[in-house]
Amino acid sequence: MLSQNQSKLVRSLHQKKYRVEEGLFLVEGDKMVLELLDNTTLEPNHVFAVREWLDKHYKQIKKSLFPVTEVLPEELERISTLVTPNQVLAVVKIPHAPVNTDLPAERTCFYLDGIQDPGNMGTILRIADWFGIPAVYCSPDCVDLYSPKVVQASMGAVFRVPSWEISLEQLLENQSNIAVMGAVMDGKDVFKNSLAATGILVIGNEGKGIRPSCERLLTHKISIPRHPKGRAESLNAAVATGILAALIPAK
Amino acid sequence: MLSQNQSKLVRSLHQKKYRVEEGLFLVEGDKMVLELLDNTTLEPNHVFAVREWLDKHYKQIKKSLFPVTEVLPEELERISTLVTPNQVLAVVKIPHAPVNTDLPAERTCFYLDGIQDPGNMGTILRIADWFGIPAVYCSPDCVDLYSPKVVQASMGAVFRVPSWEISLEQLLENQSNIAVMGAVMDGKDVFKNSLAATGILVIGNEGKGIRPSCERLLTHKISIPRHPKGRAESLNAAVATGILAALIPAK
């Protein structure tokens, strides 16, 4: 049974303003909540689930630190961000690790310059998590990392890939001799010029690409060439990120 | 001014059933409608736009064959599929070219096996349009190519890339000695084994991958290897398609 206060809190977390204020975000869906229960780096807050789900997963629930409340399907529907809600919803504390500006030495990181679409943001985190990208830095005007659609599209990568909000200038302040790569219109063919194994790969905004203040910080301008018979104006930002990530050489 | 019949027709086209029945689909947004006006292969039906848009683009409208109706912003809002509608919406005839099973000889084509997410479908068409893929074949259980979200995510590629619905078995019926490539869990590392320059690249469903009846038709089983430190369970279907498409060699 859901209390009025719980219902109000969860629904408020659909909005960024309240996620920031409360320091909490929502995770929905069977697979991701089960993963959360096993995750020891995220601080639990609460799980709301229907009877059927609780019966099925009582072992995992017992082991985890999450307080659990049983709710009715119609109660879950009222607090869910999904049109067709799953059987479970979790409230989780937003991690508050201070930004680590010591760039990981083992492998190239991502810098996201104004990514706006939550589906793209989540998909990029998932790409980072597949290709072993050690950190994802985001410009302050990126879509909120903890928005429900980002969490959903990331398929849990948001729990695993360290991500921070910082300007590219600040991030580069204490670095020297670092490769800063980014795809621009007139960049060099990425299939003929290898990417650096360590450094930063800058991913531009969906419509506008990399903004001029970031572009002037690039040390390697690259591009994914269009096929001579291709007519699309551009590639989707997450797809371009996937192609570039796949081409980062091992060190 | 929008008539009741027009309003009813356009709103019915939000649903696949009526798109099939009427043989019409919707295109929204400034950029895509302008592209439509210049497109000579698609049969126009109607453009609905607000005064401001008509004033701005009167030259293109005059040149095109689309009948145009001026509507009020609140009328457009009622017929739009978007939460925040643009200034213009077009109704277009669904092309009815018979399926061409003669595989283009110049370059590898896509076969989509049960792609369900409209965003992925549109993004895959956009990838095909970037990498000069000459045709996209879809299994009959794929998401409707003409659903508003597919059209939107394709950024116009749905107008340009020839796409047909057909089973993989039927498509392969009259082919011999053709490379049928597909990403599966135990496939060969695609970075160490080149893809074929011509043939078919099979893309599997988002959750289930390539179904067994299609998998047994593969002649080349490939995979995009996960980085040793990566922990994601899989890549997004459109991202995987983009990576594979980028790796198709020129003939």
Side-chain angles (χ1 to χ4, degrees), chain B:
Chain B
M1 180 72 187
L2 199 65
S3 76
Q4 275 222 315
N5 276 345
Q6 287 174 324
S7 168
K8 206 177 146 195
L9 171 70
V10 174
R11 276 186 307 178
S12 79
L13 299 175
H14 293 203
Q15 290 175 58
K16 181 176 179 180
K17 181 184 160 194
Y18 295 104
R19 287 195 295 274
V20 173
E21 220 171 280
E22 303 283 347
L24 296 171
F25 72 104
L26 301 177
V27 176
E28 294 201 64
D30 195 49
K31 224 169 164 177
M32 268 201 282
V33 174
L34 286 176
E35 192 178 322
L36 255 187
L37 296 180
D38 286 332
N39 187 307
T40 51
T41 58
L42 281 166
E43 271 190 77
N45 182 286
H46 215 108
V47 169
F48 300 95
V50 299
R51 181 78 257 155
E52 197 187 332
W53 193 87
L54 294 172
D55 285 345
K56 204 167 156 193
H57 302 291
Y58 70 96
K59 275 187 195 161
Q60 287 103 311
I61 295 160
K62 232 175 145 184
K63 271 199 302 180
S64 90
L65 299 165
F66 277 73
V68 175
T69 296
E70 184 188 333
V71 294
L72 297 168
E74 54 271 32
E75 289 177 320
L76 193 63
E77 207 167 303
R78 276 206 299 278
I79 58 172
S80 171
T81 63
L82 304 170
V83 182
T84 319
N86 281 284
Q87 298 186 304
V88 61
L89 176 153
V91 178
V92 187
K93 288 198 186 162
I94 294 177
H96 277 298
V99 186
N100 186 353
T101 55
D102 297 335
L103 278 176
E106 77 268 25
R107 196 163 161 75
T108 289
C109 300
F110 287 169
Y111 183 85
L112 311 184
D113 182 32
I115 288 293
Q116 287 305 305
D117 180 83
N120 281 341
M121 176 61 99
T123 305
I124 290 173
L125 291 170
R126 192 171 163 196
I127 291 166
D129 196 25
W130 181 265
F131 286 111
I133 303 301
V136 174
Y137 301 93
C138 305
S139 66
D141 59 348
C142 277
V143 58
D144 180 22
L145 275 165
Y146 298 102
S147 104
K149 282 183 185 167
V150 172
V151 175
Q152 205 66 35
S154 85
M155 301 287 273
V158 71
F159 311 147
R160 292 181 297 251
V161 180
S163 338
W164 290 287
E165 199 182 291
I166 187 173
S167 77
L168 184 56
E169 263 181 345
Q170 267 185 289
L171 178 62
L172 293 177
E173 231 160 48
N174 299 313
Q175 329 286 343
S176 55
N177 265 332
I178 188 169
V180 186
M181 301 163 275
V184 294
M185 288 302 270
D186 54 345
K188 285 186 183 168
D189 182 344
V190 74
F191 294 102
K192 292 181 183 152
N193 300 269
S194 339
L195 294 173
T198 58
I200 297 171
L201 177 62
V202 181
I203 310 297
N205 166 273
E206 288 88 352
K208 294 174 224 152
I210 297 174
R211 80 190 84 195
S213 63
C214 285
E215 194 178 330
R216 66 175 179 78
L217 299 169
L218 298 180
T219 59
H220 295 60
K221 293 186 180 180
I222 52 173
S223 80
I224 302 169
R226 183 170 66 180
H227 186 272
K229 289 205 172 157
R231 284 177 295 176
E233 221 177 75
S234 63
L235 279 169
N236 164 277
V239 170
T241 306
I243 295 171
L244 296 175
L247 297 174
I248 297 172
K251 208 183 164 184

